[in-house]
Structures are given as C-alpha cells and as structure tokens.
Amino acid sequence: MRYEPPLQDIQFILHEVLKAPACLQSMPTFAEVDADLMRQVLDEAGKFVGEVIAPLNGTGDEVGCQFANGQVTTPPGFKTAYRAFWQAGWPALACAVEDGGQGLPGVLEAVLYEMLSAANHGWTMAPGLLHGAYECVKHHASDELKARYLGKIAAGEWLATMCLTEPQAGSDLGLVRTKAQPQADGSCRLSGTKIFISGGEHDLTDNIVHLVLARLPDAPPGPKGLSLFLSPKFLPDGARNPVHCERIEEKMGLHGSATCVMRFDEATGWIVGEPGRGLNAMFVMMNAARLHVGLQGIGLLEAAWQKAEAYAKERRQMRAPGRGTSAAEADLIIEHPAVRRILDTQRAWIDGGRVLAYKTALELDVIKHHPNSERKAEAERWCSLVTPVLKAAWTAQAFNGVSDCLQVFGGHGYVREWGIEQIVRDSRVAMIYEGTNEIQAIDLLVRKVLPDGGAGLTALLQQLSDDLVCSEVADKAFQTQVTVLCDLTRQLVAASALDRQLPYWVADDYLHAVAMTLLAWAWSQIRPAVPADAQGPDAARWLLPAAALQLWILPGFAMRVQIVADRLP
C-alpha cells in the first residue's frame, strides 16, 4: 500500500488538542489565519503529497540517483514533480510576502514536510533545506546577495545546500580546512572538499545555491575562525562556477537523494554575515533542520505503521487467544496481542510526537511574530529544550519502531515487495542528520540544562504540571514523573560540578527520560480532546495507544532514571 496523508489525525491534533488557530490569531501577522484556511491549505497539501509525491517513492529507491561525468540524474518523475511543487507555491508557504512568499504560519510548513517525508523521504531531501537557507540569507546576507538570491530560494526555483562536513571534520566543525581567499571585487575564492552534501548536484533546478563554511586568511583555529559563504553553481553572468561533484555515495537508504562529494576549486563566493561568525549564521539553518528531522522520524513511523496495520487486517495466521471458535481456520493477525502491542505502541509515539512537534512549530511562529516579549521568552525556552529531544528521541523511535512494524509482516517484511524494508533503510540516517543523537543529548544536558542549574527545564516542566488538571491516574503519574525528573536534575547539577565527564556518560538516558515525560504530557493533552461520546472504532483509535503508553512505554522512564542515578556519587 502507498502512504496516505492522515489529514483527519493531523487536523485533530492541530485544532482540537493544540487549539492552533487561536494561538496563531493572537499574533497580528496571522489575524486572518482561521481553522478553515488551515484545513484548506493542508487538504490541498495532502492531495499533492498523496497523488504526486508518494507514487514516486518505490521507483526512487529502485532506480536511485545516477552519476556520470560530474552530473547527477534524479530518478524518473522526480524533476517533473519538483517543478510542480515549486510552481504551486509550496516552498514559499511560510516565507514573507515581501520575498515572494505566502506569509503563512511555519506550523503549516512543518506539517507539509512531515507528510512529504513520510511519502517519499528521498525526494523530500531536495527541498528540505530551503526554508533554513531562506532564513539564513534573509537575516545575514548583504542587500546585494538578497536581491539576487533570496526570491529564487523563497520560491524554491533554485535549491540550496548546507556545506559543512569535510573528510576530517564531521561533528567537529572546528577542523574545517576549506579556504576563502578575498578578491579585489569583494568576492572570495573558495578551495576545499566537502562530503555528505545532500543535493550537492542534481537536475531538479537550473541553479544550486551552496552555503559553505570556510576560513579566511589568518582566521584563528577552531570554530571561531569559520565564516559562511554563498557560492552558486552558476554565476550571475551565466558562467559555470568551479564547484564540482566528484562522486555520489552508495548508501544504505535514501537512494532517491544524491549525497555528494563536492570540490570547490577556487570557486567564487560571497561572505554571508560577519567574518568569523559563520556558525552563528548557519545555526539558523541547523535549528530549523533539527525540527524537520524530528518530523521525518514521525512521518516515517506513520508510513510504516500504515503499511503494518493494513497488512495485519488482511493476513490470517493461527487462532488468536481468547477468540473462541469460528468457521475460519485462522484469525487476522491484528487480533493477536503481540501484533496489537506493536501497532498500539508505535501509534502512541506518533500521536504524542505530533503534539510536541506541532507545538514546537507554533512556538517558533510565536518567537518570530508575537508582540509580547514574555510570551516570546517562554517560546524560546520551549524550543531550546524540546527541539533536541524531538530530534533525538523520535528519530531513534522511528528506526526502532519501523523495524517493529516490519516484524508484523514476518518474512514478507524482509523482501522488497511490500516496501516496509525501504522505510527501515531510509529512516536510519535521521539519527545521524543535523548532529547525531548523542550530540543532541549532550546539547540538551551540557549546554541547555546544566549552565542555569536546571532552572529552565524545571520551570518548563513545572509549568506543564501546574497547568494540568489531574482528572486521571495517568495525569497524576505524569506529575510524579515531573517531580522525579526535577529531583534527578538537581542531583546531576551538583554532581557534574565535581565530575566533568559525568554528564557526557548519562546524557542519552537523561534525554530519553525527558522525552518520556514530554510524551506523557502530550497524551494528557490528547485525552480530554477525544469526544466523551466517542464509541467503537472512534474511541478505540485514541484509547488503545493511550493504554499502550502506560503499559509499554512509560515504564521505561524508571529504567532511564535509574541508569542516570546509578552514575551519581
């Protein structure tokens, strides 16, 4: 089966759980964005994703991108689909009207990219960095560069890359060696090799805008010596810039996306932002990308769940325990507790993840547009603390949960016919993208929690707890989790002052403890939004994953806390 955008579930989370229209209309910029407009945009987005992008997923994996003589050819149908995508205005959804965009909320763009990733992760890698590149150029580039490139990037007419990694410089960008030599005309000549560059070369657009980290002469070593440069595939006069694709990687998955080794051979580029502050300028791209990678995890898990559930409703094997006797020789496997447990558990992660991801996207809109400074500060705290959790925990669950969904198929899942094995392969890289999950955990604990003594996270959790009207045992359990996690945080702050290595040992388990606490909160928001008179399948749709959360996910919280506690002196 092919992925179908779950618009009913998405709209329920946005409108009934998060009350997104009211949140958006509290900002003058979005005063006219009501529920009907949001539904209309997402209905059209779902139609485009389901009818145009999803059908290309299998071919994209089987044929893949082809490399010859420095050029990359994308799989059949990809170029036509991308042209339809940008001409329909989808890349410009959340870009400013003055830049040629539609000026709509970023949360709508976030939902769009969740659906795109679920439908065709390989194809979606091409436009995946557009909005980050747009924000980077808009806020840091010169007026001349903005006049030349911003509109093309906003529209998606030209795609963009993020050129950070080098053979010797992966997570440690301080080791970057690419050089930038200033020229008399104000440009620079860029020389060096970049690896793992998604979409570094392709046939989807007439030009490609590369954003490149490099070092000016006499720049200090380490990350403080890095500057950011814009270097296009084709220069303004139409000449080919000496930016060469040397090869594309043979990857485990994502065959529909070209991962390139790029050589800058004294290529012309122009500085973006201030010298020595390249990481500050590029962080705009990286922060937006982390949310989108978390959404990739949610989308891919949804796509796998859809396949597994459909298969479980068709496949008959053995008699399900407690089903009594019937004329059938075997029951549908969805009646078997082992299969039901897999499906309900993944559903709990997907639904709760949507609440957290969509709220994060809404908070990003608040940061950009809300008139109240205190409300903006709250939003900044949420995004700072929750974004690394979303990226790490939900990409990890995507890979592990998709593998569980493959298990529903038995041996059939291991062969290509059903398409579930592709999602397993495609999902694995999300745990590496935009800072590995280990780095996200270190970012959360070492850079976000410890510096203020845990005050920010404690305040966030306490606010969530205080705002909750405890109407169920599950809600009281969440408040207990908050108490335990805040106490653990205080102990970690004290112990880390005496042992600098300690937080690095426990960061991953700490992040997952935070993730399960946030997941419990998300479900405390979902349950009251389910109509009290819901019956049959409508009630089971939300009650079964809510039960799975309590039975099979949240017990892991105590395990993660104990692992951290055992490292304390």
Side-chain angles (χ1 to χ4, degrees):
M1 66 163 290
R2 187 184 299 160
Y3 165 79
E4 293 289 339
L7 292 171
Q8 186 174 350
D9 289 351
I10 289 170
Q11 304 281 15
F12 174 76
I13 296 295
L14 279 173
H15 300 292
E16 306 304 323
V17 177
L18 292 174
K19 312 295 184 185
C23 173
L24 292 167
Q25 289 179 333
S26 68
M27 297 171 259
T29 306
F30 302 129
E32 297 182 2
V33 178
D34 59 13
D36 288 340
L37 175 61
M38 293 179 71
R39 287 192 181 94
Q40 182 181 359
V41 170
L42 292 180
D43 284 348
E44 289 301 314
K47 186 184 301 182
F48 182 88
V49 170
E51 295 177 0
V52 179
I53 305 303
L56 302 175
N57 191 42
T59 302
D61 183 58
E62 293 166 10
V63 177
C65 291
Q66 305 296 314
F67 176 77
N69 301 318
Q71 296 184 328
V72 172
T73 303
T74 53
F78 273 41
K79 184 175 182 179
T80 300
Y82 184 75
R83 186 173 184 83
F85 180 69
W86 78 260
Q87 289 187 336
W90 293 115
L93 198 65
C95 296
V97 174
E98 60 267 25
D99 301 322
Q102 299 179 46
L104 289 170
V107 67
L108 294 178
E109 180 188 65
V111 176
L112 168 65
Y113 275 88
E114 178 204 320
M115 293 191 290
L116 286 169
S117 297
N120 192 330
H121 193 191
W123 183 93
T124 304
M125 290 299 297
L129 288 174
L130 270 177
H131 190 69
Y134 163 78
E135 293 287 346
C136 183
V137 172
K138 181 177 178 66
H139 294 292
H140 295 284
S142 67
D143 289 342
E144 183 180 358
L145 284 179
K146 284 191 278 192
R148 189 178 297 156
Y149 295 101
L150 188 60
K152 298 286 190 180
I153 293 172
E157 185 176 353
W158 291 351
L159 284 167
T161 70
M162 186 164 62
C163 298
L164 289 77
T165 307
E166 298 180 6
Q168 79 292 341
S171 300
D172 187 357
L173 292 174
L175 300 177
V176 162
R177 296 174 186 163
T178 297
K179 297 178 180 179
Q181 185 64 42
Q183 303 297 299
D185 63 0
S187 68
C188 288
R189 294 284 187 266
L190 306 180
S191 300
T193 297
K194 298 289 184 178
I195 65 171
F196 300 155
I197 308 305
S198 298
E201 174 62 29
H202 54 71
D203 59 359
L204 299 176
T205 55
D206 295 335
N207 205 354
I208 303 172
V209 180
H210 302 289
L211 291 166
V212 188
L213 281 182
R215 293 185 185 279
L216 289 162
D218 302 322
K224 293 184 178 179
L226 295 173
S227 300
L228 184 65
F229 300 86
L230 186 155
S231 183
K233 178 179 178 178
F234 289 100
L235 295 167
D237 63 2
R240 181 72 157 84
N241 208 5
V243 180
H244 307 286
C245 178
E246 295 189 331
R247 72 171 191 273
I248 61 175
E249 304 292 357
E250 296 292 331
K251 306 191 298 292
M252 172 181 174
L254 285 188
H255 298 153
S257 172
T259 302
C260 304
V261 176
M262 303 297 294
R263 187 178 80 253
F264 292 80
D265 208 357
E266 295 196 347
T268 298
W270 297 271
I271 195 165
V272 175
E274 300 175 20
R277 294 182 61 83
L279 286 180
N280 298 74
M282 188 161 266
F283 185 75
V284 174
M285 295 185 73
M286 291 188 286
N287 206 28
R290 287 192 302 168
L291 172 59
H292 279 270
V293 175
L295 285 161
Q296 287 174 10
I298 294 168
L300 289 163
L301 190 53
E302 168 74 42
W305 182 90
Q306 286 187 16
K307 285 181 179 290
E309 193 214 27
Y311 183 82
K313 287 181 175 179
E314 296 176 357
R315 177 72 166 173
R316 292 184 180 274
Q317 290 288 283
M318 302 179 290
R319 302 311 310 275
R323 293 286 293 172
T325 59
S326 71
E329 294 181 359
D331 290 315
L332 293 170
I333 63 172
I334 200 167
E335 304 294 345
H336 289 262
V339 172
R340 188 76 262 165
R341 173 175 173 167
I342 290 173
L343 294 174
D344 292 346
T345 299
Q346 306 321 313
R347 191 73 257 163
W349 279 100
I350 295 165
D351 297 332
R354 279 204 183 106
V355 173
L356 296 171
Y358 296 176
K359 178 173 172 56
T360 301
L362 285 168
E363 297 300 287
L364 288 172
D365 283 325
V366 167
I367 291 170
K368 290 176 65 176
H369 301 290
H370 205 284
N372 184 283
S373 59
E374 291 184 7
R375 180 67 183 88
K376 282 187 174 185
E378 288 181 3
E380 287 171 351
R381 181 180 65 189
W382 173 280
C383 292
S384 174
L385 293 166
V386 177
T387 302
V389 178
L390 264 175
K391 192 280 177 185
W394 268 265
T395 57
Q397 186 58 34
F399 179 66
N400 293 316
V402 170
S403 180
D404 285 346
C405 287
L406 184 149
Q407 194 76 5
V408 171
F409 290 79
H412 292 287
Y414 201 66
V415 297
R416 302 189 69 177
E417 176 184 357
W418 297 90
I420 187 73
E421 57 83 35
Q422 179 192 344
I423 308 178
V424 175
R425 289 184 285 106
D426 286 355
S427 66
R428 183 57 180 86
V429 75
M431 297 171 69
I432 300 168
Y433 273 149
E434 309 309 334
T436 66
N437 285 359
E438 292 76 14
I439 286 176
Q440 302 300 322
I442 292 168
D443 176 59
L444 173 68
L445 181 55
V446 178
R447 301 191 185 104
K448 306 288 178 58
V449 173
L450 294 182
D452 69 356
L457 181 65
T458 299
L460 173 64
L461 294 174
Q462 198 59 58
Q463 180 181 350
L464 297 180
S465 180
D466 291 345
D467 291 346
L468 188 64
V469 177
C470 287
S471 57
E472 297 187 21
V473 172
D475 295 340
K476 294 176 182 176
F478 162 71
Q479 292 195 323
T480 300
Q481 280 181 264
V482 169
T483 301
V484 170
L485 186 56
C486 290
D487 183 59
L488 181 69
T489 301
R490 284 191 292 271
Q491 294 179 62
L492 260 176
V493 169
S496 297
L498 304 174
D499 182 354
R500 293 185 60 189
Q501 282 199 355
L502 173 63
Y504 295 88
W505 283 110
V506 302
D508 185 67
D509 291 295
Y510 183 83
L511 179 143
H512 280 88
V514 175
M516 281 182 270
T517 303
L518 291 172
L519 184 61
W521 173 82
W523 272 96
S524 76
Q525 305 303 295
I526 292 173
R527 286 191 302 270
V530 178
D533 59 352
Q535 300 290 325
D538 291 338
R541 161 64 186 87
W542 300 101
L543 294 176
L544 291 176
L549 174 77
Q550 300 298 323
L551 292 169
W552 301 307
I553 299 175
L554 294 186
F557 173 80
M559 180 193 74
R560 296 288 188 173
V561 168
Q562 189 62 51
I563 290 172
V564 176
D566 285 347
R567 295 287 308 193
L568 296 174

